[in-house]
């Protein structure tokens, strides 16, 4: 265990002798032994012993020491006012942070000030705006196992998004984890390893939280009977444990998450499956290859959303494209209507730009962490809702009409906040200046008393100057001595008898009068009582607003969907996208374009693609840099866009409903896992051959490069035949094995495509146009020359090509002569490979795994 976590050993050895404050620290470290405890001492958070040494090293702060009767302890501290930046650094170093605040006023404490952990900050449960670096979802996941099934739940504590699913396979768990990309995960007993990404903090959480009865009780407490929301005990256990963990991270402050109103259970089969490999190779969220400019991914070219709500919703749609044709068509209807109505589109965009992040606002309200400015921001957003609703008055599509009805203006909440909270309130809740005049009669009376007393003070200076004849006399105030009358030393002989000396300075004396002391008491009493009254009133208002959390979240969800539809319509109109037809039995794309690449090059060459049920496989050849990878990726992206409900970059497109997109694109290795590039490639291919169906879209790029030419070609051919004969998926296979084109000619459901290149002497021009048939040359040397390989190397390569061709011709002639001699010597045997052919004929390929088939094929090839 990390020595920085848990109770310090030096303190544990003498727990009973520790001072009360250090005993508090020790006990909190024991209770929160998975976290670094930040212990409030005045205006600082302190750490001691090994935790202090660790924090000092990570945060680059001074390491000091604290001495008491039991010894000397290393100590390090950070200012409370800037704590969030330090907490962020500790999180990045892989630690959780338990914040232990003083929970009673030091002036009122009879002994040591009571402290308690008010929040545990972890990578997946962040709610502080300073720590949430983007508007994206920040998920924490929980994984449970029960009776052969897996339950998986995802929660964004900052927004209240809570979803769950179940599956019987480890592979599906891995796929769903890749969709949501959680920052943190808790796992129960018997949960599988290796399904979460390396950057995810994974913890084996309290088994009691995953226990079936405890989990069921917690889910019921939040959402009612689990059977109405979830399917199976594993899902209930995952959701219950995740709720328990979220409550734990709130420390002792209001453990329950009242704003969690929706638990959505989904079936992975309701969405197109995009595993981690597909997400990366298609660059849906992060740029991986050389396409486009730095940082450009598919989401970047689609995202013209106006508010944070829409940005998150768009990513969710992209993460989970639909497979339900009716839902897809409903989205497409709305996008089409908005794309043809620029006035409505621009009006809605302008209104949505004024929308604050309602989901995170209502989360802070419900967690009692919202300040007065948060409430004003919430009201400002709700003020926009009636205008957005009016902007949809003439909507014709069913989805837009439904969204209009869901846009509740929440007039009661707007009125409450508008009447109660000042328009420009102070951020600090304890210093007044947050409740509007006229909202509360008692508060108005206290403020009036304070103002009258202050006016009396303001008038006092003029009155006393006139009475004493001292023109330099002044009335002032400080936090230590209160109100005073100050007279300079040369005028002390004019001080009236009723002045009482309060403070002596170098050049003056300060006095009070009985009347001034009386007024001071009235003013300070009224001010303190007004501040207390304001705080009580604000908490009441915040609580009342929190009771409408579910209604506010529904409005937030509707605004998010409107924003996404407006964004997709804007992109479609601006970049000439077309409405796709979905649900057919063929891929038919005319003038298709890559949505990212076309934005980053001066001119983009569109291309057609046709794949049918009878001919679902296309083998694609052509030179490097000719456009094969872009062509295949754009086909996959068109399918993804169509099923999330977007128009697509093409002249026309008719597409089947794809259940899953598989990709094997580019070279990568897994050094940490001890896997070579070729092993990673074969593992991904095994997943494709195992899980693909006839409704899948498979994109394969240059399979078989990580081994010998003979083995690579054998693997490529076997895969092509298996996909064609056994799977029947829509498949695009780009290959450098030109011999594979002969296989495509032999298969009834396959065809050859190639990318044309024009050659003139030693110059090659890639026209980026796809055509029927196989490529006639690879132009590898020409590509090397254009890439800047030294001329001497290029010329030597040309010489070697000629030599190899001449040697091949000689060897072929010798082999022919040798074969004829051998045939004559053994009595005219017609076929020296007859034994191999006989064994090949006897093979039962239907009962062989792909790997067994490849191994057998390789052996037979060597024997032949």
């Amino acid at each position: 265990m990390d020595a920085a976590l848990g109770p310090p050993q030096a303190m544990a050895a003498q727990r009973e002798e520790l001072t009360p404050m250090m005993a508090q620290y020790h006990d909190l470290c024991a209770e929160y032994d998975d976290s670094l405890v930040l212990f409030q001492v005045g205006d600082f958070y302190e750490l001691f012993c090994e935790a202090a040494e660790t924090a000092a090293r990570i945060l680059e702060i001074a390491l000091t020491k604290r001495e008491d009767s039991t010894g000397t302890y290393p100590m390090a501290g950070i200012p409370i006012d800037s704590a969030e930046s330090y907490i962020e650094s500790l999180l990045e170093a892989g630690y959780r942070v338990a914040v232990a605040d003083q929970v009673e006023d030091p002036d009122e404490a009879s002994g040591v000030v009571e402290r308690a952990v008010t929040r545990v900050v972890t990578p997946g449960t962040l709610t502080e705006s300073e720590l949430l670096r983007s508007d994206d979802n920040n998920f924490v996941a929980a994984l449970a196992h029960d009776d052969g099934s897996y339950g998986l739940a995802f929660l964004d504590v900052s927004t209240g998004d809570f979803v769950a699913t179940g599956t019987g396979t480890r592979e599906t768990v891995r796929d769903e984890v890749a969709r949501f990309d959680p920052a943190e995960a808790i796992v129960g007993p018997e949960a599988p390893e290796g399904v979460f990404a390396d950057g995810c903090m994974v913890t084996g959480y309290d088994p009691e939280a995953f226990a079936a009865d405890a989990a069921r009780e917690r889910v019921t407490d939040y959402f009612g009977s689990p059977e109405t929301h979830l399917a199976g005990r594993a899902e209930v256990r995952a959701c219950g444990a995740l709720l328990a963990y979220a409550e734990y991270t709130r420390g002792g402050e209001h453990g329950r998450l009242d704003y969690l109103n929706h638990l959505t259970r989904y079936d992975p089969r309701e969405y197109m499956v995009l595993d981690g490999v597909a997400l990366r190779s298609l660059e849906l969220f992060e740029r991986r290859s050389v396409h486009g400019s730095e940082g450009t991914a598919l989401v970047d070219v689609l995202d013209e959303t106006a508010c944070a709500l829409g940005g998150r919703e768009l990513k969710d749609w992209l993460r989970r494209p639909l497979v339900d044709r009716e839902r897809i068509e409903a989205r497409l209807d709305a996008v089409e209507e908005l794309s043809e109505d620029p006035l409505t589109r621009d009006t809605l965009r302008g209104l949505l730009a004024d929308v604050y992040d309602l989901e995170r606002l209502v989360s802070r309200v419900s967690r009692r962490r919202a300040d007065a400015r948060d409430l004003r921001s919430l009201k400002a957003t709700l003020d926009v809702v009636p205008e957005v609703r009016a902007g949809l008055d003439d909507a014709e599509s069913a989805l837009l009409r439904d969204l209009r009805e869901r846009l509740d203006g929440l007039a009661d909440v707007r009125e409450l906040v508008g009447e109660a909270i000042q328009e420009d309130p102070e951020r600090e809740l304890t210093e007044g200046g947050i409740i509007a005049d006229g909202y509360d009669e008692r508060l108005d009376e206290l403020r009036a008393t304070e103002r009258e007393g202050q006016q009396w003070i303001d008038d006092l200076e003029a009155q006393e100057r006139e009475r004493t004849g001292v023109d330099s006399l002044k009335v002032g105030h400080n936090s230590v001595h209160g109100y005073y009358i100050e007279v300079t030393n040369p005028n002390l002989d004019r001080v009236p008898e009723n002045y009482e000396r309060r403070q002596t300075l170098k050049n003056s004396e300060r006095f009070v009068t009985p009347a001034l002391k009386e007024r001071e008491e009235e003013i300070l009493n009224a001010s303190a009582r007004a501040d207390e009254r304001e705080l009580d009133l604000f908490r009441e208002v915040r609580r009342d607003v929190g009771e409408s959390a579910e209604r506010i979240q529904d409005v937030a969800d509707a605004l998010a969907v409107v924003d996404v539809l407006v964004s997709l319509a804007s992109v479609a109109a601006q970049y000439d996208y077309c409405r796709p037809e979905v649900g057919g039995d063929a891929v038919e794309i005319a003038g298709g374009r890559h949505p990212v690449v076309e934005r980053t090059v001066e001119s983009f060459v569109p291309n057609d693609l046709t794949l049918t049920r009878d001919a679902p496989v296309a083998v694609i050849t052509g030179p490097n840099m000719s456009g094969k990878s872009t062509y295949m990726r754009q086909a996959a992206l068109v399918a993804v866009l169509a099923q999330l409900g977007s128009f697509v970059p093409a002249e026309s497109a008719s597409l089947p409903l794809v259940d899953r997109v598989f990709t094997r694109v580019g070279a990568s290795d897994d050094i940490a896992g001890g896997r070579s590039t070729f092993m990673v490639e074969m593992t991904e291919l095994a997943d494709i051959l195992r899980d693909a169906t006839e409704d899948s879209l498979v994109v394969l790029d240059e399979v078989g490069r990580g081994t010998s030419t003979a083995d690579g070609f054998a693997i490529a051919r076997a895969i092509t035949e298996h996909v064609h004969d056994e799977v029947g998926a829509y498949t695009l296979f780009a290959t450098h094995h030109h011999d594979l084109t002969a296989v495509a000619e032999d298969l009834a459901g396959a065809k050859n495509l190639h990318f044309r290149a024009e050659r003139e002497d030693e110059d090659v021009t890639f026209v980026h146009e796809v055509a029927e048939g196989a490529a006639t040359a690879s132009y590898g040397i020409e590509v090397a020359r254009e890439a800047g390989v030294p001329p001497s190397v290029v010329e030597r390569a040309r010489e070697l090509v000629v030599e190899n061709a001449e040697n091949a011709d000689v060897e072929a002639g010798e082999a022919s002569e040798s074969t004829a001699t051998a045939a004559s010597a053994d009595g005219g045997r017609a076929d020296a490979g007859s034994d191999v052919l006989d064994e090949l004929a006897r093979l039962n390929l239907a009962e062989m795994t792909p790997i067994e088939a490849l191994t057998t094929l390789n052996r037979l090839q060597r024997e032949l």
Side-chain angles (χ1 to χ4, degrees), residues 528-569:
R529 290 165 63 191
D531 289 348
E532 292 175 3
R533 181 67 177 167
E534 280 201 74
L535 183 57
D536 290 342
L537 290 170
F538 174 78
R539 287 171 172 166
E540 289 178 9
V541 172
R542 186 172 61 185
R543 184 194 63 229
D544 292 344
V545 171
E547 291 176 355
S548 297
E550 186 169 3
R551 294 167 60 203
I552 297 172
Q553 287 171 328
D554 287 342
V555 170
D557 182 63
L559 289 171
V561 175
V562 171
D563 197 12
V564 173
L565 294 172
V566 170
S567 178
L568 294 178

Side-chain angles (χ1 to χ4, degrees), residues 559-737:
L559 289 171
V561 175
V562 171
D563 197 12
V564 173
L565 294 172
V566 170
S567 178
L568 294 178
S570 298
V571 171
Q574 185 175 357
Y575 296 101
D576 194 25
Y577 285 15
C578 74
R579 175 171 180 158
E581 297 179 9
V582 294
D585 58 1
V587 176
E588 295 179 302
I589 302 172
R593 314 187 305 275
H594 192 295
V596 178
V597 177
E598 73 166 346
R599 302 270 195 102
T600 58
V601 296
E602 291 185 6
S603 62
F604 186 91
V605 179
N607 276 298
D608 301 342
L609 172 64
T610 300
L611 298 174
T612 66
R613 285 290 188 196
D614 294 333
V617 179
V619 175
I620 307 170
T621 51
N624 290 325
M625 298 174 58
S626 62
K628 300 192 301 295
S629 296
T630 297
Y631 179 68
M632 294 193 301
R633 283 186 173 97
Q634 76 188 34
L637 293 177
V638 165
V640 170
L641 288 173
Q643 289 184 219
L644 71 84
S646 170
F647 280 26
V648 300
E651 294 174 9
S652 66
S654 178
L655 302 156
L657 289 174
V658 174
D659 63 2
R660 181 165 185 164
V661 173
F662 290 95
T663 62
R664 171 55 220 170
V665 178
S668 61
D669 55 24
D670 178 12
I671 296 175
R675 301 190 303 164
S676 67
T677 299
F678 185 64
M679 177 59 75
V680 171
E681 178 180 325
M682 291 300 103
T683 301
E684 293 176 2
L685 281 171
D687 291 340
I688 294 172
L689 298 179
R690 181 187 63 244
D691 298 329
T693 73
E694 64 176 6
D695 294 321
S696 301
L697 176 60
V698 177
V699 174
L700 303 175
D701 191 6
E702 304 292 12
V703 170
R705 273 193 166 178
T707 184
S708 69
T709 300
D711 285 357
F713 172 68
I715 292 171
R717 175 167 184 152
I719 288 170
T720 305
E721 293 174 349
H722 182 83
V723 170
H724 177 275
D725 297 340
E726 305 297 331
V727 180
Y730 300 102
T731 303
L732 295 170
F733 192 163
T735 180
H736 66 286
H737 294 291

Side-chain angles (χ1 to χ4, degrees), residues 84-85 87-88 91 119 121 126 128-133:
E84 303 304 334
S85 62
I87 291 175
E88 182 177 18
L91 293 177
R119 56 182 173 135
V121 187
L126 300 177
E128 296 78 3
S129 56
E130 300 90 341
L131 298 177
L132 289 164
R133 289 184 162 236

